[in-house]
Amino acid sequence: MTSDVKKRIEELRQQLHAHGHRYYVLDDPVISDGEYDRLFQELLHLEAQYPESITADSPTQRVGGKPLKGFKTAEHIYPMLSLDNIFSRQGLLDFEEKLKRYLKGDTVLEYITEPKLDGLAVELVYENDRLVTGSTRGNGLIGEDVTEQLKTVPTIPLRLLATGEVAIPRQLIVRGEVFLPKKGFKQLNQRRKEEGLSLFANPRNAAAGSLRQLDPKVTAQRPLRFYAYSVATTEGVRCDTQFDLLAYLRSLGFAVSPLVCHCKSVDDVGGQFDLLVRKRHGLDYEIDGMVVKVNRFSLQQRFGNTARAPRWAVAWKFPAVQASTIIERVEFQVGRTGVVTPVAHLQPVEVDGAIVRRATLHNRDEVNKKDLRLHDTVLVQRAGDVIPEVVKAVVENRTGKEEAIVFPERCPECDGQLEQGVGEAAIRCTNLLCPAQKIQRLIYFAGKSGLDIEGLGKKHVEQLYSAGLIEDIADFFLLKKDQLILLDGWGEKSAQGVIQSIDKVKAPPLNTFIRALGIRYVGEVTAELIAGHYESLDELVQSKASELMAIEGIGPQVAESLVTFLRSEPFAKLLIKLDQAGVVVQSAGKSARPLDGRIFVFTGSLNHMTRNEAKQLVKSLGGKVVSSISGKVTDVVAGERAGGKLEKAQKLGLGLLAEEAFVGLIRNLQGR
């Protein structure tokens, strides 16, 4: 390949990147589609002649990936936190009041507001200006690697638009939302209807389903878009505010919401919310609220984060859209933890574009509080624009034919004993062998919140249970292809695929297995905490409630529920059966992470990052962070103005790290 050819290839790539940015991001093309196609074909021809010249960031490689066999996991260096919600102006005022109390002064707070897109949060990692990894949020710590799928989204730059005026760090981690415009959603569903395929329920589901296509070519056929809204860390980014950061991201080639607003007071924030409410339905994409962020980064760092959300940002959710209908009957459903929930069957009614036929009544206290009756005319809304619920009865419409909603005295599924715990609103079936609980636990175990067995959705699990092929979770691992083929709707390929999916999850990590059991009060975060403190499942089974409560974040309610479940006779029998089926639960805490076994204490103020960021980095690499000095501590990180902790650490002869040494250690372990 001559130098002239090499130069021409690079010129074509730069031109195509620039024209793609003008077309998809700026909506301001300066050449015709035909001219763009001519340049693209010329590049394709040259790369075909000189395949050694092809690079991952070439415009021709947006849809170049082969179908994947499955998604790999991607660990986030910095956690992708959630946002706390507010629902009113009073909530906004309370948010600001809390911030001002934290500052203990009269600091004037300025904010940035951004539409809260109803899409899928993703993270993009750029190294030396090139996109190297793209992943979903997942649980905030670990997501799925969907790099090849994200490369097909035209508003995601494969190469940053570097100019001499903009400094770009060697590694830049950009976060934002992938979404499907309303127009594209309608076209996609129309195409699926013509092909006889099932329709997507809403644009968010369609976007999520598109990114989870193993074949990037399928994703490329979906008109996905991306808006950037933050970076994982501002290190190396020369911006002091969120407003400056968004301008910086635009300069690098990212699409940013045009509805971002710089608000100089909390009153301005309220005005912007009112404006978004009016504009909402006229936009070509779904939004379900407005994100409010403190503008200045120095203040964001002072406020820090809680375990799950930043203190300096909230999501102000739109008021739910309501409609009136009639309660035709009430069904009592039994969940996996035994909770009996009243569900109203309604005359079908459209609520904000969706047909609502059922709505939760929550519990007996809610029914009594709202004075709901059979055949009542009621207002319903989609809570958070998703889950339908009954708001209130329209008392003025009563005719005298309405009837009281009578709650069952025994379990509607197994006729078992029902009880209501002290201080609890829910009534609960206490029979662990209740068929309804069993099937819900099976659905949960196989679903995304459990082991995520591909090909085993809710209807499939119900079918297997009805056919007598599964009674407990161990039976999943005893299924045979020949059994599945005999069932309605199954073929050789689907049966073989499910058996292979089951084989893939026969060695689940301890935290995943605990979570998948569906134990009351034990969710994803709790399972992570527990798994980090036990060598094996056997050791956990032998644990006492007092030992569990010694783990930070585990209270008596969780400990008691876990011990009761793990020590029960049904679970003991289940363990024997799982062992016979070849299931081996792996210790989540033994995953060869570089800081496993090391315990850190931080003292003094840090310059390179906030204390919270430093702690999260240690935890992400397997280390533990404690607040007090003891002989068990292996590393004491001393920043400026370190005090008594440093003196105590020196007396005990503990390992000391200056901040620079700590930053160097972390970067070294991350391979940066």
Side-chain angles (χ1 to χ4, degrees):
M1 181 170 58
T2 65
S3 59
D4 287 344
V5 171
K6 188 175 181 180
K7 182 180 178 182
R8 180 55 181 163
I9 288 173
E10 185 56 29
E11 284 176 352
L12 287 168
R13 285 177 183 162
Q14 289 182 0
Q15 288 179 38
L16 288 167
H17 280 307
H19 289 307
H21 176 250
R22 295 193 70 92
Y23 185 89
Y24 289 107
V25 178
L26 302 181
D27 195 22
D28 183 29
V30 291
I31 63 172
S32 67
D33 290 351
E35 288 177 281
Y36 182 92
D37 289 341
R38 183 184 59 76
L39 295 173
F40 193 85
Q41 290 301 318
E42 183 183 350
L43 179 58
L44 272 178
H45 177 71
L46 288 174
E47 288 183 343
Q49 275 189 297
Y50 305 99
E52 70 276 13
S53 71
I54 298 174
T55 59
D57 65 316
S58 173
T60 64
Q61 299 305 297
R62 277 201 181 273
V63 199
K66 296 179 180 178
L68 306 175
K69 294 180 179 179
F71 291 110
K72 297 178 182 178
T73 58
E75 189 167 347
H76 304 303
I77 298 174
Y78 302 92
M80 294 183 71
L81 301 176
S82 302
L83 289 175
D84 288 331
N85 294 328
I86 60 172
F87 299 92
S88 64
R89 268 180 170 68
Q90 187 57 52
L92 178 66
L93 294 174
D94 292 344
F95 168 63
E96 181 171 76
E97 180 61 30
K98 189 184 295 183
L99 294 178
K100 288 187 172 181
R101 283 202 308 270
Y102 193 88
L103 293 175
K104 299 178 182 177
D106 297 325
T107 304
V108 176
L109 294 173
E110 294 186 357
Y111 302 95
I112 289 296
T113 62
E114 307 165 28
K116 186 177 181 298
L117 295 164
D118 194 15
L120 198 70
V122 299
E123 177 177 89
L124 308 170
V125 180
Y126 289 82
E127 292 184 357
N128 299 320
D129 305 348
R130 268 60 170 179
L131 175 66
V132 293
T133 307
S135 58
T136 61
R137 179 184 180 277
N139 64 6
L141 299 174
I142 298 174
E144 288 182 321
D145 186 331
V146 288
T147 307
E148 294 303 318
Q149 287 71 18
L150 287 171
K151 284 170 67 175
T152 70
V153 180
T155 47
I156 292 178
L158 303 180
R159 180 194 296 183
L160 300 179
L161 295 180
T163 67
E165 301 173 2
V166 180
I168 305 175
R170 191 182 70 80
Q171 183 185 69
L172 182 68
I173 304 175
V174 177
R175 290 171 176 172
E177 200 91 0
V178 169
F179 61 95
L180 192 64
K182 293 176 184 176
K183 183 179 178 181
F185 171 70
K186 289 178 181 177
Q187 292 172 344
L188 175 60
N189 261 352
Q190 181 60 36
R191 190 162 66 242
R192 291 178 69 85
K193 183 178 180 180
E194 292 168 357
E195 295 171 358
L197 300 173
S198 60
L199 304 185
F200 286 112
N202 52 57
R204 188 187 188 285
N205 286 357
S210 300
L211 280 190
R212 295 204 83 254
Q213 293 293 324
L214 293 174
D215 188 349
K217 291 183 176 64
V218 176
T219 308
Q221 295 170 7
R222 313 280 173 83
L224 298 173
R225 294 294 182 265
F226 172 80
Y227 275 168
Y229 54 62
S230 72
V231 291
T233 173
T234 55
E235 184 178 347
V237 177
R238 297 174 185 174
C239 298
D240 296 324
T241 66
Q242 172 72 9
F243 190 75
D244 292 342
L245 174 67
L246 295 175
Y248 172 74
L249 291 174
R250 282 193 197 95
S251 72
L252 296 181
F254 291 98
V256 172
S257 171
L259 298 177
V260 169
C261 182
H262 181 192
C263 299
K264 295 190 175 182
S265 70
V266 74
D267 290 336
D268 290 347
V269 173
Q272 185 62 16
F273 182 81
D274 292 340
L275 181 63
L276 272 186
V277 169
R278 292 195 297 272
K279 284 188 173 183
R280 175 187 183 186
H281 293 293
L283 300 175
D284 188 36
Y285 47 86
E286 297 282 357
I287 62 175
D288 58 2
M290 183 177 79
V291 176
V292 183
K293 300 177 181 176
V294 171
N295 187 34
R296 191 157 294 280
F297 289 146
S298 59
L299 289 176
Q300 290 183 10
Q301 291 170 356
R302 287 179 65 182
F303 293 130
N305 310 312
T306 65
R308 62 172 297 278
R311 293 190 181 92
W312 42 268
V314 288
W316 188 351
K317 303 299 288 289
F318 287 141
V321 180
Q322 300 179 342
S324 65
T325 184
I326 294 173
I327 297 179
E328 296 185 328
R329 65 185 178 90
V330 174
E331 174 188 14
F332 294 90
Q333 296 183 344
V334 182
R336 63 182 169 83
T337 62
V339 171
V340 179
T341 303
V343 176
H345 287 251
L346 310 167
Q347 282 187 3
V349 62
E350 183 175 328
V351 183
D352 198 24
I355 301 299
V356 173
R357 293 180 172 84
R358 301 196 307 169
T360 179
L361 301 182
H362 297 293
N363 52 59
R364 179 157 38 198
D365 289 355
E366 278 291 297
V367 170
N368 292 338
K369 179 182 174 183
K370 295 175 181 177
D371 187 24
L372 300 175
R373 305 176 190 180
L374 282 175
H375 314 305
D376 256 341
T377 298
V378 292
L379 284 181
V380 293
Q381 68 181 24
R382 293 167 65 199
D385 285 349
V386 179
I387 305 168
E389 67 176 359
V390 173
V391 180
K392 68 174 184 177
V394 183
V395 179
E396 304 80 40
N397 286 12
R398 283 181 176 163
T399 64
K401 296 181 179 180
E402 293 77 19
E403 303 171 21
I405 296 172
V406 180
F407 278 69
E409 295 183 359
R410 300 189 69 82
C411 176
E413 296 289 341
C414 72
D415 200 38
Q417 183 70 40
L418 295 180
E419 64 178 39
Q420 187 169 1
V422 178
E424 288 191 342
I427 56 174
R428 194 180 303 272
C429 173
T430 58
N431 176 19
L432 287 176
L433 298 179
C434 173
Q437 292 183 57
K438 284 169 65 177
I439 194 167
Q440 291 301 324
R441 284 198 294 268
L442 289 168
I443 292 168
Y444 185 84
F445 184 84
K448 293 188 182 301
S449 297
L451 296 195
D452 195 10
I453 303 174
E454 193 172 342
L456 274 187
K458 179 177 182 289
K459 290 183 179 178
H460 295 113
V461 175
E462 290 173 339
Q463 183 186 29
L464 294 174
Y465 184 81
S466 298
L469 294 180
I470 55 171
E471 275 285 324
D472 57 43
I473 62 175
D475 289 330
F476 284 119
F477 303 98
L478 298 172
L479 288 170
K480 300 290 187 291
K481 184 177 75 171
D482 293 344
Q483 294 174 309
L484 300 179
I485 291 175
L486 297 175
L487 299 175
D488 289 341
W490 292 77
E492 175 87 19
K493 187 175 179 181
S494 58
Q496 182 62 38
V498 164
I499 296 301
Q500 290 174 347
S501 297
I502 291 170
D503 287 339
K504 288 179 184 177
V505 298
K506 271 194 171 182
L510 180 57
N511 62 310
T512 303
F513 182 76
I514 296 168
R515 182 188 70 205
L517 292 174
I519 304 169
R520 188 180 176 193
Y521 304 128
V522 180
E524 186 173 353
V525 174
T526 303
E528 291 273 2
L529 290 173
I530 293 166
H533 285 76
Y534 289 92
E535 294 282 343
S536 65
L537 178 60
D538 289 338
E539 185 183 338
L540 174 59
V541 170
Q542 298 304 316
S543 64
K544 299 177 182 177
S546 57
E547 295 172 9
L548 289 163
M549 284 189 287
I551 301 172
E552 186 177 352
I554 304 296
Q557 200 174 42
V558 174
E560 190 61 41
S561 176
L562 188 65
V563 169
T564 300
F565 185 94
L566 297 178
R567 297 284 185 87
S568 68
E569 185 179 346
F571 186 68
K573 292 179 179 178
L574 181 64
L575 284 180
I576 295 171
K577 196 171 175 182
L578 285 167
D579 183 58
Q580 293 170 343
V583 177
V584 180
V585 179
Q586 306 294 317
S587 171
K590 297 300 172 186
S591 54
R593 293 189 291 177
L595 292 181
D596 276 345
R598 292 174 68 167
I599 301 174
F600 285 72
V601 166
F602 290 89
T603 179
S605 59
L606 304 178
N607 294 318
H608 292 274
M609 64 189 76
T610 66
R611 181 81 64 86
N612 285 329
E613 287 172 339
K615 289 179 178 179
Q616 293 296 340
L617 282 170
V618 169
K619 292 176 183 177
S620 71
L621 294 167
K624 183 179 178 182
V625 180
V626 296
S627 58
S628 57
I629 297 290
S630 71
K632 294 182 179 180
V633 172
T634 58
D635 299 86
V636 178
V637 180
E640 293 180 0
R641 298 182 297 280
K645 289 181 182 178
L646 178 58
E647 294 176 11
K648 188 174 180 180
Q650 289 170 329
K651 288 178 182 178
L652 291 174
L654 302 178
L656 301 177
L657 286 173
E659 182 182 358
E660 294 293 339
F662 170 73
V663 172
L665 168 69
I666 295 297
R667 286 180 173 169
N668 201 30
L669 293 176
Q670 293 175 335
R672 294 163 63 187

